[in-house]
Amino acid sequence: MKDSRLIAIVGNEANFPKTNTKEIAICGRSNCGKSSLINTLFNTKKLAHTSSKPGKTITINFFKYSDNLSIVDLPGYGYAKVSFKIKDEWGKVLEKYFNNRKQLKKVMLLIDVRREITVDEINFIDWLNKERIEVFIIFTKIDKLNKNDFSKKKLYLIDKINSLWQDTNYKTFFTSSMKKIGIEELKKEIEKI
Ligand SMILES: Nc1nc2c(ncn2[C@@H]2O[C@H](COP(=O)(O)OP(=O)(O)O)[C@@H](O)[C@H]2O)c(=O)[nH]1
Ligand SMILES: [Mg+2]
């Protein structure tokens, strides 16, 4: 049976749902944990499909979080390049979402805590800043690092982010969907929207 919290699964702009609710977009590279985070936020295991194989998601999925807020799962690639010179068809769909979607209020950019922040991600955040879209930078899978490595990486990342964006609007979270770490804090911020 279809979960009523799933509003729409769409593959092109014409089918973006004509809702008035505010939207938070979840994006990040394939496999960074978008679907897992959505399931954790919704307290379920199977609303969004998770996969250990990268790149499975090729649709934009809209989920109803509350009466006035939706969460939108964007596929794991293609948000890259702020110039948005994305050649493939799917890139164009994403571009339309980011450029035209009035309902979009916030972006959650997920980054696997074990990785570096990539140039694409930096460009993307710069672009969001320019568009005055507030971003939550969410480092995921923190359970994958031991305590010591995590402490070091966290300091490193915070330092890096502070030096990249001194006076812009962002919030940083360190989460594990698997171990439910940092989730309540994130939910509180979501509910403020
Ligand atoms: N250990 C651990 N694994 C995670 C976590 N979040 C996601 N994963 C795993 O990472 C893989 C990709 O997750 P998924 O949510 O499908 O990523 P997506 O491609 O961004 O939607 C899956 O095998 C998940 O089980 C986490 O917090 N901790
Ligand atoms: Mg996914």
Side-chain angles (χ1 to χ4, degrees):
M1 203 178 77
K2 185 173 163 263
D3 192 306
S4 62
R5 293 171 295 187
L6 179 61
I7 301 167
I9 300 177
V10 312
N12 58 57
E13 192 194 19
N15 294 329
F16 288 173
K18 290 172 185 59
T19 45
N20 295 318
T21 45
K22 296 173 180 173
E23 289 172 2
I24 307 184
I26 297 201
C27 49
R29 297 169 63 139
S30 306
N31 220 39
C32 66
K34 293 178 296 302
S35 302
S36 302
L37 183 67
I38 289 172
N39 287 334
T40 304
L41 290 172
F42 283 84
N43 286 315
T44 174
K45 280 196 160 58
K46 48 187 184 204
L47 185 59
H49 293 290
T50 59
S51 170
S52 52
K53 280 192 224 115
K56 194 163 167 265
T57 314
I58 48 152
T59 50
I60 299 182
N61 300 340
F62 295 78
F63 300 99
K64 182 185 163 105
Y65 187 77
S66 67
D67 284 342
N68 37 35
L69 186 70
S70 302
I71 289 184
V72 183
D73 184 6
L74 298 171
Y77 69 99
Y79 67 87
K81 303 279 189 289
V82 172
S83 54
F84 281 131
K85 295 258 175 347
I86 308 163
K87 281 175 204 77
D88 60 275
E89 283 306 304
W90 186 247
K92 288 188 187 124
V93 177
L94 288 177
E95 180 180 332
K96 294 228 166 79
Y97 179 84
F98 281 118
N99 288 329
N100 304 339
R101 190 74 174 163
K102 299 272 184 300
Q103 294 88 329
L104 176 63
K105 297 298 170 203
K106 224 159 267 223
V107 168
M108 299 199 234
L109 175 59
L110 275 53
I111 302 173
D112 186 321
V113 75
R114 296 167 297 174
R115 306 189 68 97
E116 277 293 323
I117 305 175
T118 64
V119 172
D120 283 345
E121 284 154 351
I122 292 171
N123 288 339
F124 183 56
I125 293 172
D126 284 341
W127 181 81
L128 292 170
N129 286 334
K130 193 162 70 63
E131 296 294 311
R132 300 187 189 289
I133 300 169
E134 194 183 342
V135 58
F136 290 170
I137 304 172
I138 302 178
F139 294 100
T140 60
K141 309 192 192 183
I142 67 168
D143 61 284
K144 294 251 194 189
L145 292 178
N146 70 41
K147 225 175 149 193
N148 199 21
D149 289 345
F150 173 63
S151 305
K152 279 193 224 147
K153 191 69 187 275
K154 185 175 176 179
L155 286 177
Y156 165 84
L157 288 167
I158 288 175
D159 202 50
K160 171 133 196 188
I161 288 171
N162 283 337
S163 67
L164 280 166
W165 302 288
Q166 278 123 0
D167 35 40
T168 45
N169 238 352
Y170 65 84
K171 288 198 172 68
T172 318
F173 299 85
F174 291 85
T175 65
S176 164
S177 296
M178 186 175 271
K179 297 268 170 71
K180 309 240 187 310
I181 305 168
I183 303 299
E184 286 311 312
E185 200 190 341
L186 181 58
K187 278 188 175 173
K188 278 197 196 116
E189 286 300 325
I190 291 174
E191 271 142 35
K192 283 187 197 162
I193 305 169

